[in-house]
Amino acid sequence: MSISIYNTLTRKKELFQTIEPGKVLMYVCGPTVYDSCHIGHARSAVVFDVISRYLKTQAYDVVYVRNFTDIDDKIINRAAEIGMDPKELADKYIAEFYRDMDALQVERASFEPRVTEHIDDVIQLVEKLLAKKVAYVVDGDVFFAVETYDAYGKLSNRRLEDMDPGARVEVDPRKHNPYDFILWKSAKPGEPSWTSPWGKGRPGWHIECSAMSARYLGKTFDIHGGGRDLIFPHHENEIAQSEAGHDREFVRYWIHNGFVNIDKEKMSKSLGNFRLVKDVVQQYHSEVIRLFLLSKQYRKPIDFNQTSMETSRTALDRIYALLLRIDAIIAGKEIPAKAQEDMPFWKKFCHAMDDDFNTANGIAVIFNAVRHANRIMDENETGTISRNVLISLSVVKREILRMGAVLGIGGDVPEAYFHTRRESILTKETMDANVIEKLITDRELARQEKDWERADQIREQLASMNIVLKDHPDGTHWEIKS
RNA sequence: GGCGGCAUAGCCAAGUGGUAAGGCAGCGGUCUGCAAAACCGCUAUUCACCAGUUCGAAUCUGGUUGCCGCCUCCA
């Protein structure tokens, strides 16, 4: 078992070695709760969910912290816009975040702290930074002095003198260096605030993660994750604060996921092309979304569009059709428990995942297993199914479910998976299942009388309604082609 | 201006030195009354282009072209 991880800090894959054997300390930046989650949040959540799940299967004790930023300028501004209390706004979107994550089957982290519950930790860290003279106070605001931290820029691979300050944002003239960032922000009248040695205020933009990660994971921990966009300035600043404050290495492995584009364009306010999780889960089964998000290496950009989603759905159908087929054969049969140690597909899957969590390769292994199982069943369609075949099928099914469980796919009951979609399309298309069943019964009668012409005519009629029939020995099944 | 990424079949996408995974779509075959599904076979002598290193490169080096991201809103 040797996992390698691409470390943003060193810009190469490294062998993963935890600080404490068998234990992984992981922190991932969670949302600032001022708006609904979009598909980009979903990618980050799903990617780190899968990383956490996989590490657990490799016998690691995973301590996973994902925070909520529940106080910040964006929250205050949004709350003011719609005349809501900032705390209420944050609570509302935290609740929505949980609904979205549950819908996507993203597991809960070990700890999900909120900044407003850790103000004391923030103040203590700021005091420490002031004592070390790497921060300064101006009019109740506290800034971190980037020039005091030699390694500033090491994560984002840039030097202070190469950057172009003020290109996009006006520089606060009180700063010693344009890249100095705020640790503690003084409150304007009416803003939420906490008492501090520098007056009433709130935590700055980056300090919370330094304070909370230290609280839950210690001063040095194994993995810190988030979206690519957080590399600079957020994570760069976290490193500066934490390493200056604690005098030791902050994080061993930095993992950043790529963006989700929409029809080849970046999601942006100006394009108004955000895809919200709550909308997407209405349209697609959660596992279709997960399969799509995991079909590309997590560091690369992925394009969300109708074609790619439908392709993912067809692919997932293939897995569920296989599970359904296996279940029909092994249902109610005693399967000997022996010979279940050797799991070649699972091993290949782990090999793929060991290489920087290569889920695209892992998915390929699942489909290899699907083909393998279908082949076994094709070769044993006639006659009595032997014990060995039953064992093989049950083993490969277990492998598929085990691999799927890491990715969060294949966990639905196959019948329910198809049934749910059928129902939702029937509702959408305002079709009546009874009408369809009646036509199928008519066709069955025609077939029994070998009236192929009439049977085919009925099938054509159903086909024009996008109903596909499948004749099985135990009766005719139908599906909606979508 | 600085930093970085990407270019693989009709589409999506793995593959970082040893002779091109997987999914979707398509074509042929088996099966089927006919279909559907499944399986088998076919669909990139080739990985943007040029040069170099090497016994050997999609994979390494240099260059060219094109696309994209970041440089204090952002997953």
Side-chain angles (χ1 to χ4, degrees):
Chain A
M1 176 178 80
S2 64
I3 296 173
S4 62
I5 295 179
Y6 181 89
N7 190 350
T8 308
L9 186 62
T10 55
R11 290 175 290 283
K12 60 186 182 217
K13 280 184 195 170
E14 295 175 356
L15 193 63
F16 181 53
Q17 290 178 300
T18 58
I19 296 162
E20 193 180 323
K23 189 167 187 177
V24 177
L25 305 172
M26 179 163 91
Y27 187 98
V28 175
C29 289
T32 299
V33 282
Y34 73 107
D35 208 345
S36 298
C37 291
H38 53 65
I39 190 73
H41 294 105
R43 185 181 196 191
S44 184
V46 167
V47 162
F48 290 103
D49 181 47
V50 168
I51 288 174
S52 161
R53 290 185 194 215
Y54 181 65
L55 292 172
K56 286 177 190 166
T57 70
Q58 300 310 105
Y60 283 109
D61 175 17
V62 178
V63 183
Y64 178 12
V65 178
R66 184 182 54 215
N67 70 294
F68 286 109
T69 300
D70 64 344
I71 186 66
D72 134 300
D73 289 0
K74 291 192 290 295
I75 294 171
I76 292 169
N77 293 341
R78 176 63 57 88
E81 271 171 39
I82 60 176
M84 200 175 195
D85 178 69
K87 168 122 177 56
E88 271 178 56
L89 184 83
D91 287 346
K92 175 188 160 182
Y93 284 113
I94 287 172
E96 195 177 298
F97 175 84
Y98 279 127
R99 275 200 297 279
D100 288 346
M101 292 304 117
D102 289 350
L104 289 169
Q105 301 186 61
V106 171
E107 291 179 352
R108 299 291 166 101
S110 319
F111 298 98
E112 303 184 330
R114 305 178 188 194
V115 189
T116 56
E117 292 166 354
H118 290 276
I119 301 294
D120 288 346
D121 290 324
V122 169
I123 290 173
Q124 280 170 30
L125 182 53
V126 176
E127 284 185 313
K128 201 180 272 187
L129 292 167
L130 281 168
K132 287 173 183 288
K133 304 248 190 303
V134 296
Y136 53 94
V137 184
V138 186
D139 309 329
D141 289 336
V142 185
F143 293 97
F144 184 91
V146 293
E147 285 171 24
T148 65
Y149 179 67
D150 288 343
Y152 192 79
K154 70 177 176 180
L155 181 69
S156 53
N157 190 32
R158 61 188 79 195
R159 295 175 302 178
L160 284 170
E161 56 270 31
D162 286 340
M163 292 193 282
D164 187 10
R168 291 172 58 187
V169 173
E170 200 179 328
V171 175
D172 186 334
R174 300 174 304 161
K175 289 181 180 179
H176 297 354
N177 180 296
Y179 286 97
D180 287 352
F181 55 90
I182 203 149
L183 298 169
W184 184 264
K185 183 160 182 160
S186 59
K188 296 197 188 83
E191 287 181 348
S193 64
W194 289 262
T195 304
S196 81
W198 320 286
K200 293 231 168 208
R202 62 178 179 271
W205 187 19
H206 316 288
I207 192 75
E208 74 216 49
C209 292
S210 291
M212 290 191 288
S213 61
R215 163 66 60 192
Y216 289 93
L217 300 175
K219 292 171 180 172
T220 302
F221 54 96
D222 298 299
I223 295 174
H224 192 134
R228 285 200 69 80
D229 52 317
L230 297 180
I231 294 172
F232 190 90
H234 187 56
H235 289 161
E236 196 67 74
N237 291 352
E238 274 187 54
I239 292 174
Q241 292 162 347
S242 294
E243 299 198 343
H246 297 140
D247 291 314
R248 69 185 73 173
E249 184 185 25
F250 178 40
V251 168
R252 305 283 288 273
Y253 303 90
W254 286 91
I255 301 180
H256 293 95
N257 65 275
F259 282 118
V260 179
N261 292 324
I262 306 294
D263 293 320
K264 313 248 177 188
E265 288 184 312
K266 186 180 169 175
M267 270 195 284
S268 73
K269 291 261 192 295
S270 57
L271 287 166
N273 60 350
F274 282 88
R275 290 291 182 286
L276 301 183
V277 172
K278 62 184 174 188
D279 296 331
V280 177
V281 295
Q282 291 300 313
Q283 214 176 345
Y284 300 100
H285 191 285
S286 63
E287 295 187 3
V288 170
I289 301 167
R290 293 182 69 108
L291 185 62
F292 160 70
L293 291 172
L294 298 169
S295 65
K296 195 160 176 183
Q297 214 286 335
Y298 73 84
R299 276 183 277 118
K300 295 183 178 176
I302 190 169
D303 193 55
F304 180 97
N305 58 66
Q306 194 178 333
T307 305
S308 61
M309 293 308 290
E310 284 172 4
T311 297
S312 293
R313 180 169 59 200
T314 310
L316 187 63
D317 284 357
R318 185 167 153 78
I319 294 171
Y320 274 108
L322 178 273
L323 292 174
L324 200 58
R325 191 179 177 195
I326 292 180
D327 285 348
I329 288 174
I330 66 175
K333 296 199 174 73
E334 287 275 322
I335 310 289
K338 68 164 197 110
Q340 301 203 338
E341 299 311 312
D342 189 35
M343 292 197 146
F345 292 110
W346 170 252
K347 278 183 192 149
K348 279 186 190 165
F349 178 83
C350 291
H351 187 68
M353 291 296 285
D354 283 347
D355 180 16
D356 195 27
F357 311 108
N358 194 326
T359 51
N361 259 338
I363 289 166
V365 176
I366 292 178
F367 282 104
N368 282 329
V370 167
R371 175 172 300 106
H372 176 73
N374 270 319
R375 192 182 297 155
I376 290 174
M377 289 185 281
D378 276 8
E379 286 167 356
N380 293 278
E381 267 185 325
T382 52
T384 316
I385 312 257
S386 72
R387 283 169 66 84
N388 282 342
V389 168
L390 288 175
I391 292 169
S392 297
L393 287 176
S394 100
V395 171
V396 84
K397 178 189 169 184
R398 281 172 42 136
E399 287 193 274
I400 290 169
L401 292 180
R402 195 171 177 187
M403 294 185 278
V406 174
L407 306 181
I409 61 172
D412 209 345
V413 176
E415 287 88 348
Y417 171 80
F418 289 113
H419 184 262
T420 305
R421 185 154 99 243
R422 194 157 82 178
E423 291 303 306
S424 74
I425 296 175
L426 283 175
T427 307
K428 201 168 76 186
E429 304 287 329
T430 61
M431 283 195 281
D432 186 346
N434 291 326
V435 172
I436 293 163
E437 300 284 359
K438 173 73 168 60
L439 284 166
I440 289 172
T441 307
D442 289 349
R443 175 169 170 273
E444 272 314 301
L445 290 170
R447 290 181 76 216
Q448 278 166 29
E449 291 162 14
K450 300 216 186 296
D451 183 354
W452 307 127
E453 199 177 317
R454 174 153 170 71
D456 289 349
Q457 185 198 327
I458 294 171
R459 196 180 58 211
E460 289 303 314
Q461 184 184 345
L462 286 164
S464 69
M465 297 159 69
N466 277 328
I467 308 294
V468 180
L469 300 185
K470 294 179 175 186
D471 294 331
H472 282 285
D474 59 329
T476 298
H477 300 218
W478 60 279
E479 277 172 17
I480 296 175
K481 195 173 179 145
S482 51

